[in-house]
Every structure is written in C-alpha cells, then in structure tokens.
Amino acid sequence: MLKKLKKLLHWTSNSKPEYDISPKIYEELKPFRLPIILIILVFLFGTLGYVAIDNVDVFTAFYETGITFTTVGYGEMYPMSDNARIFSIFLIIVGFMVFTLAVGVVIDVIQKGNLLTLLKERRMLYKIARLKKHYVVCYHTKFTIELTNEFKKAHIPFVVVSPEEDLEDIAKKYNYPFFIQAEPHTDIAMKKAHLSSAKGL
C-alpha cells in the first residue's frame, strides 16, 4: 500500500535535497546565541545568589529567579532577607535589559525576513527531493503556463524554476505545487530542482 502511494505521488525513498541550505539557516540563527547565553547566565547567577544569600534550596532559588526575571508578580516564594530583596531589584534590572535585547534581536530577524524565507525554501526542497521522473520547467512564461496545465491534467509532476521575486504568489495563482525562485540553468538551481531524478528539462 505504501509503495503504491509513493508511486502515485512520484516519491523516492531518498528524500534528502541535493542542495543543503542548513548553513544559511544556521547563519541567520546566530544573533539568537547572545540572548540565550545571557538568559542562561542570569538564571545561573540568580539561583546561586539566592542560595548564597538566604541559604534556600536550589529549586526554590531557581523558581524565585524565574518569577523575578520575568517580573510576573507572583510575590516572594519564601520570607526574604533585606539582602535578598536588594538582590531581587538588581536581578529585575538585569533581566529587563536582557529581555529588551532578546526582543530587539527577534524583531530584527523578523523584519529582515531571511529566516522565514529560508525555512519555507527548505520545506520546499524536501518536498522536491521526494519526486522522481518529474520535469524541470525553466521560467514562468505563457508557454510554460500551458505546458504545466497539460502536466497537471496528465498527473505528471514538475518543478518550476524562475527568478521572479513574487514567484510564491505566481505559484499560488497558477497552482504550481513545486517551485524554486532562482535563475535557471545554474548548478545550484538544478540541484534544488533535483534534476538528477528528473525525467526531462
């Protein structure tokens, strides 16, 4: 049954793309490293601070650090000393600075839009990698619109490769299930289109 389904969907057992964009995704994720490291350090510093000041257990100190860092306002988890309250004020200030930095990084990454674009492309590449005996259609033109319509009628899989920036919108309009935004006839574009398992170009 599974083999018949794979044959119907023109899927291969090897679903790994020929062109790996993971390094680009990791590069876009690099800005998140500093906020994550700072958050871990704040929790470590806060936990050790409460343990040292009021001699509470590690879990209570960690929990107190969490509600202080996030300023959720649950109140004190145990009767604090004055030194612990002063430490909490300092922790709130540091936590606010780290939180502001983290929000700034997230907003900057979202505004650039590169990460979301790469994640969408990665998902598309894995879908294309499952195809076999498909056709790679170069450029979006009136001729290729007619050609892909015939492919769809005959249930023949195809991948459209075209450099238009709004190719995603074009694909939705003309019902292209698989597409790559790139200049055709380049090695990278053909690897993304999985030409090695294609039936024709």
Side-chain angles (χ1 to χ4, degrees):
M1 182 67 181
L2 184 60
K3 289 182 178 179
K4 290 182 179 179
L5 181 61
K6 285 184 176 181
K7 185 177 181 181
L8 178 65
L9 296 174
H10 302 278
W11 283 6
T12 63
S13 57
N14 181 18
S15 60
K16 187 177 180 180
E18 291 183 20
Y19 185 78
D20 186 16
I21 63 171
S22 296
K24 293 182 179 180
I25 294 176
Y26 296 148
E27 189 68 27
E28 290 295 322
L29 290 173
K30 279 185 178 180
F32 290 101
R33 290 188 299 184
L34 179 59
I36 291 174
I37 291 172
L38 289 177
I39 290 172
I40 293 173
L41 290 176
V42 168
F43 269 86
L44 180 62
F45 176 71
T47 301
L48 295 177
Y50 286 120
V51 170
I53 295 171
D54 280 350
N55 196 29
V56 295
D57 61 273
V58 174
F59 178 79
T60 301
F62 180 80
Y63 191 77
E64 183 65 38
T65 300
I67 63 176
T68 303
F69 173 73
T70 56
T71 63
V72 294
Y74 284 167
E76 298 176 358
M77 299 307 299
Y78 67 93
M80 283 187 175
S81 64
D82 290 339
N83 289 337
R85 291 191 177 98
I86 294 173
F87 180 74
S88 295
I89 294 172
F90 174 75
L91 199 60
I92 290 172
I93 295 172
V94 173
F96 178 77
M97 293 171 62
V98 173
F99 179 76
T100 303
L101 174 64
V103 170
V105 169
V106 172
I107 292 175
D108 183 60
V109 171
I110 292 175
Q111 285 181 339
K112 288 180 179 178
N114 295 335
L115 180 59
L116 294 177
T117 301
L118 287 171
L119 291 174
K120 286 182 180 180
E121 183 179 2
R122 185 175 184 270
R123 186 162 58 247
M124 179 62 68
L125 291 179
Y126 270 89
K127 289 180 180 179
I128 293 172
R130 290 182 170 184
L131 297 176
K132 67 176 181 178
K133 296 182 180 179
H134 60 286
Y135 284 86
V136 178
V137 180
C138 298
Y139 296 106
H140 167 74
T141 63
K142 291 182 179 179
F143 171 74
T144 56
I145 291 173
E146 295 298 325
L147 178 63
T148 54
N149 284 336
E150 294 301 318
F151 282 159
K152 283 181 283 188
K153 290 178 183 178
H155 302 287
I156 298 173
F158 62 91
V159 179
V160 176
V161 182
S162 196
E164 286 87 356
E165 293 184 1
D166 60 340
L167 185 60
E168 185 176 357
D169 295 330
I170 293 173
K172 290 179 181 178
K173 181 178 179 180
Y174 293 97
N175 194 23
Y176 296 157
F178 309 104
F179 58 91
I180 295 295
Q181 183 189 349
E183 189 65 40
H185 308 302
T186 62
D187 290 339
I188 293 178
M190 293 301 101
K191 286 181 179 179
K192 288 182 177 181
H194 222 261
L195 184 62
S196 61
S197 64
K199 189 175 182 179
L201 176 65

